Amino acid sequence: MHETLRKDQLYVTVDILILTEKSGGLKLLLSQRPLPPAQGKWALPGRFVAQEESAEETVRELLAEMLPVRQYYSEQLYTFTQPGRDPRGRVLSVAYLVIVPWQRLQPALEQEGVTLKCFSVSTGESGFALTSPEGVPLSMEELAFDHFAIIRTGVARLQGKIDYTDIGFQFLNTPAAFPLSELQRVFEAVLGKAQDASNFRRFVRGRYEDSGKIAPAEVAPPRGKGRPATLYRWQNERRDRS
């Protein structure tokens, strides 16, 4: 579809950054383009917006086809309008940020027909970088169109929001009963740097616990030796459904 575009017409696409946290690292899903342009390059999931649908509807339909997850968080990120970003014609991209907890995402990636691969995102002192599942660095030239810029914009937006919004909770596997160590791991993955446990605990108390956004979870402690970690419940749990 859309191998050639009319030069006198404006087209709109959606491109989706699907992010998760796994083992203390931030992960992004990409797939290789099977057809020109940029054939064989890695790309964000994307699609042209049809005349009869909204961008949000296109995102839901695309996710339902490419990744069988029933529940996720999504928000509109930014609209990329640079001329020449698509060699076929004048194409605008409305980018969306989608967050899926790893325990929900992993079985979906294992389904037959899913072509998305999980790349590592690094934002530490060495700078922004993407690494393949095999541990091979991914260069800007190996990404289709302006997707490198879209990814950097999305990760920067996430980093800017995690300290003053509830977006970090969207990565939690069990928001109804989680230890603070899991939330700290999410912050470290997104920000690309370690967090002092004591300072992080004070931050959580002041921003989330004192305001009632999280509270101790009413669950029975696990049996065994030692003092079990306190579990918390996120009071404002919400994820958009596909």
Side-chain angles (χ1 to χ4, degrees), residues 204-214:
V204 169
R205 182 187 297 117
R207 180 166 295 279
Y208 300 117
E209 193 171 1
D210 291 349
S211 64
K213 290 187 175 183
I214 67 171

Side-chain angles (χ1 to χ4, degrees), residues 31-43 138 141-144:
S31 64
Q32 283 186 298
R33 285 183 57 83
L35 299 171
Q39 185 176 12
K41 290 192 174 185
W42 292 97
L138 189 67
E141 292 73 22
E142 293 176 276
L143 284 162

Side-chain angles (χ1 to χ4, degrees), residues 85-133:
R85 57 178 306 277
D86 190 315
R88 293 169 293 184
R90 190 72 173 98
V91 180
L92 311 184
S93 173
V94 184
Y96 281 78
L97 183 66
V98 169
I99 298 172
V100 188
W102 176 247
Q103 289 184 6
R104 191 183 303 274
L105 181 62
Q106 184 180 20
L109 291 173
E110 295 172 351
Q111 294 293 313
E112 184 177 356
V114 174
T115 60
L116 294 163
K117 302 297 181 183
C118 204
F119 284 73
S120 298
V121 181
S122 302
T123 60
E125 295 181 358
S126 58
F128 184 87
L130 296 171
T131 307
S132 75

Side-chain angles (χ1 to χ4, degrees), residues 14-32:
V14 296
D15 287 302
I16 310 174
L17 287 84
I18 305 173
L19 294 169
T20 192
E21 180 272 326
K22 176 190 175 187
S23 303
L26 185 64
K27 308 294 182 180
L28 169 73
L29 298 190
L30 299 172
S31 64
Q32 283 186 298

